[in-house]
Amino acid sequence: MPRLLAIEWDLQEARYVVATTARAKLVVEQAGSIPLPQPEDGERLSAAALGEAIRDGLKEARAYQGQALLGVSRSNIELAHLSLPPLSDDELPDAVRYQARSELASYTEGALLDYLPLAGAPGEPRTVLAASLGREQFEQMQAVCAAAGIKPTRLLVRPHAAGGHLSRQMRPREQVSLLVNTLGEDTDLTVLVDGQALLCRTVRLPKPAEGESPETPLLSEIRRTIFAVQNQPGGGPVTAVYISGEPREHRELVTLIQDELSLAAEVFQPFDGLKLAGALERDLPANPGRFTALLGMLVDEAASAHAIDFLHPHKPPEPVSRKKLAMVAAAAGLLIAATGGYFAWGQFSEVGKQISSLEKQSRDLDKNVKRAAEKEAAVAVIDEWLAGDIVWLDELRDLSLRFPKPRDAVLLRMSLGSKTGGGGAIELEGLVRDPSIVGEMEGNLRDEFHEVRTKRVQESVQGTAHTWKFDSSLLVGARDKSSYESHLSGIQTGAPAGDPKPQAKEPAKTPESKPAKGKRPAAQAGPSRVAQRERGAKPLAVEEGAP
């Protein structure tokens, strides 16, 4: 029976699980951790020193050293949801790599890329979760493995493996669920939609404030993750939370989730349902939740069903070269000529069968040529798709810098949308202190890429200082990403919204609107409840990465 080693590490320790597989059945033999030395100068261990520590720890535990499944943390990779035109599964690999060059900053020469299809059948728009591992991180992992004497056969994403293990072992009935997995100082939060990992975050929790429960920082991150997934494509409300580990370790957290978030909460024991051997039959390692991802890697390997594998990424089918087509055609011609000359006196029927067979081969090869032409057409569609796309984050930054100050204007509603053929439109609805501010706003926003039209300006008694309501439309033209920096070179970046005052050539005229007779503007209202809450908000936990 082949033996497998699943291993991963962080700054404090390396974790490993050894198992054997036979006929898709898994037997877990060993599970443990190796403390890593901590340099006194505060710097990280070199790849060679880290690999030697792992090698010595595996030898001391008499653990298997050889081919290994290597786990990669969320903080070492870049994730992004990519929206693609209708494409078949064979066309997806090239399309994902083409678009990843502009969407993923880490996907440069030498980087590794793989993806997980999320939604869209062939013939419909496709959505994929693309993952990129930078060249520098990959080379460092290779150096550690070389020093440790192990050979990685797969390079897997840790949160996806943990989420897959939960889906296989517990089979959650909820469409959207959250898996919480604590590993030393880091905690993985993975949102599963129909058994697939849609969103994963790795956070380092701050110390709780004096008098607070130790679980309060983690509860805040759970709440933040639940809110974030509702805004993800294909996401939705989380209805259950699963915590990896032993029930006695997480009683307080389960109670807090049930009471404060009104959600179902349950502890997931990662070793349950697996066949254990040796010392594991009698006693499990401390904090078993740490091994959730490693067990998931082994279970997925036994089933040959990994979500993302950087060493075996999705690839398009091998194309048939035109040289091979020409050789087949030439061979067919020579065979027909030789057969016709040699068997001309009585073998015409046999030659006819051979001709029919060669014609069938030619038709099959024509299908490959047609698929290649369809792939070229798909790439052209993607080029057209990207050419008319709007960089909405830059547009929103541009709008916030040009918008009037909060004491002059308040935005009530804003909608954004793309237009057929390129460009987009932004609809604005808000309140201003004086109708002349609308004209100043139009002058600030109008340029060669933006056309502003105000549909209506009228008095609206709201009981605040902003008593004039306006509806405006902003037509946005498509442009290259690099033009934003030059376009905003005259505006001070990093200032609060409304502070920058770009020089407009001439303020736009606003529709004339007079206040109602006998009415005066409302007095300035005090700070909103939201602002008061923000003043008292505690610092957020440091987040190492999210898609």
Side-chain angles (χ1 to χ4, degrees):
M1 294 187 295
R3 303 189 74 190
L4 295 173
L5 169 67
I7 188 168
E8 59 157 336
W9 59 81
D10 51 32
L11 297 179
Q12 285 74 39
E13 65 177 9
R15 296 170 288 275
Y16 66 89
V17 175
V18 178
T20 58
T21 59
R23 298 179 180 178
K25 293 184 179 180
L26 186 73
V27 179
V28 182
E29 298 178 345
Q30 290 178 277
S33 60
I34 303 170
L36 299 178
Q38 303 297 313
E40 296 181 357
D41 54 7
E43 296 183 357
R44 293 189 177 186
L45 288 176
S46 65
L50 177 58
E52 291 173 1
I54 293 175
R55 180 194 61 196
D56 295 341
L58 292 175
K59 285 185 177 180
E60 183 178 353
R62 296 182 179 179
Y64 168 75
Q65 288 177 274
Q67 294 184 349
L69 312 178
L70 183 59
V72 185
S73 69
R74 169 66 180 87
S75 58
N76 286 330
I77 64 175
E78 183 180 5
L79 294 174
H81 289 86
L82 303 182
S83 297
L84 300 170
L87 297 171
S88 67
D89 291 340
D90 290 343
E91 296 169 328
L92 271 181
D94 287 337
V96 170
R97 281 166 174 73
Y98 183 84
Q99 190 161 343
R101 291 188 179 94
S102 59
E103 298 291 337
L104 298 172
S106 62
Y107 186 49
T108 57
E109 184 177 358
L112 304 183
L113 178 74
D114 197 13
Y115 65 89
L116 174 66
L118 294 179
E124 299 179 359
R126 309 297 299 271
T127 301
V128 302
L129 178 63
S132 174
L133 176 65
R135 178 179 180 179
E136 182 178 352
Q137 288 83 357
F138 178 56
E139 291 178 347
Q140 184 178 12
M141 290 179 182
Q142 286 181 311
V144 172
C145 291
I150 57 180
K151 301 176 181 179
T153 58
R154 294 193 183 275
L155 199 52
L156 309 170
V157 179
R158 186 176 72 195
H160 284 75
H165 188 37
L166 172 67
S167 299
R168 290 178 182 273
Q169 298 302 109
M170 298 197 71
R171 302 185 183 278
R173 292 173 294 178
E174 299 82 12
Q175 182 183 8
V176 184
S177 57
L178 172 63
L179 174 62
V180 180
N181 186 21
T182 300
L183 306 97
E185 296 182 354
D186 296 336
T187 299
D188 286 346
L189 298 103
T190 306
V191 177
L192 302 175
V193 178
D194 293 330
Q196 284 187 325
L198 176 70
L199 172 69
C200 52
R201 304 174 60 228
T202 297
V203 297
R204 183 160 295 178
L205 301 175
K207 294 182 179 179
E210 185 176 356
E212 278 188 340
S213 167
E215 305 292 349
T216 299
L218 179 55
L219 185 67
S220 299
E221 291 301 326
I222 292 174
R223 183 183 288 108
R224 185 174 291 109
T225 304
I226 291 172
F227 177 77
V229 73
Q230 298 183 19
N231 299 323
Q232 290 286 334
V238 173
T239 53
V241 180
Y242 295 88
I243 303 102
S244 292
E246 287 282 1
R248 64 177 180 271
E249 298 174 351
H250 303 293
R251 288 195 185 97
E252 183 179 357
L253 180 59
V254 169
T255 302
L256 287 173
I257 294 172
Q258 293 172 343
D259 294 344
E260 298 194 19
L261 302 182
S262 300
L263 293 176
E266 186 176 349
V267 175
F268 168 49
Q269 220 296 11
F271 286 91
D272 284 352
L274 299 177
K275 186 175 181 180
L276 307 179
L280 290 178
E281 291 183 288
R282 301 182 299 273
D283 190 22
L284 294 177
N287 302 324
R290 299 176 298 161
F291 303 95
T292 304
L294 298 177
L295 293 171
M297 296 177 195
L298 293 168
V299 172
D300 288 343
E301 179 68 16
S304 299
H306 294 289
I308 293 178
D309 182 3
F310 289 110
L311 296 184
H312 301 86
H314 291 79
K315 293 182 179 180
E318 291 293 334
V320 179
S321 65
R322 295 185 179 274
K323 182 178 180 180
K324 186 175 181 180
L325 289 174
M327 291 175 63
V328 170
L334 290 174
L335 180 60
I336 293 172
T339 304
Y342 189 77
F343 298 99
W345 58 87
Q347 299 292 333
F348 289 105
S349 60
E350 185 65 21
V351 173
K353 293 179 181 179
Q354 294 179 6
I355 293 174
S356 299
S357 176
L358 292 172
E359 287 178 346
K360 182 179 181 300
Q361 293 181 24
S362 179
R363 288 193 298 269
D364 292 339
L365 293 173
D366 287 339
K367 294 179 182 179
N368 292 333
V369 175
K370 183 179 179 181
R371 282 198 293 267
E374 292 174 351
K375 187 178 298 184
E376 293 178 356
V379 172
V381 171
I382 294 174
D383 286 336
E384 183 179 356
W385 179 294
L386 296 176
D389 199 10
I390 299 296
V391 187
W392 286 113
L393 288 180
D394 287 333
E395 289 294 342
L396 289 175
R397 175 176 177 271
D398 197 348
L399 178 61
S400 65
L401 290 172
R402 296 163 175 263
F403 202 75
K405 297 180 180 179
R407 65 171 179 269
D408 293 330
V410 174
L411 191 60
L412 300 178
R413 182 183 63 84
M414 178 176 64
S415 62
L416 307 91
S418 299
K419 297 173 61 180
T420 303
I426 303 176
E427 298 292 334
L428 304 174
E429 179 181 332
L431 299 172
V432 295
R433 179 171 49 81
D434 187 87
S436 62
I437 296 174
V438 178
E440 296 177 3
M441 177 188 71
E442 290 184 342
N444 288 342
L445 298 178
R446 184 179 289 110
D447 58 23
E448 60 180 313
F449 300 109
H450 302 86
E451 178 63 30
V452 189
R453 299 175 183 173
T454 298
K455 305 174 184 177
R456 179 179 58 181
V457 177
Q458 66 178 23
E459 187 176 20
S460 175
V461 179
Q462 299 288 336
T464 65
H466 305 85
T467 59
W468 291 85
K469 186 175 182 180
F470 71 91
D471 291 325
S472 299
S473 298
L474 183 62
L475 300 180
V476 183
R479 49 176 160 159
D480 188 77
K481 294 181 181 179
S482 60
S483 66
Y484 285 97
E485 182 178 357
S486 62
H487 181 64
L488 298 176
S489 59
I491 298 177
Q492 179 183 357
T493 59
D499 287 350
K501 297 181 179 180
Q503 297 297 327
K505 296 181 179 179
E506 181 178 356
K509 297 181 180 180
T510 60
E512 296 184 356
S513 180
K514 298 181 179 179
K517 185 175 182 182
K519 294 184 180 180
R520 297 182 179 178
Q524 176 68 37
S528 66
R529 294 182 180 179
V530 175
Q532 294 172 3
R533 286 200 300 269
E534 291 177 347
R535 293 173 183 171
K538 298 177 182 179
L540 298 178
V542 178
E543 179 176 340
E544 297 181 1

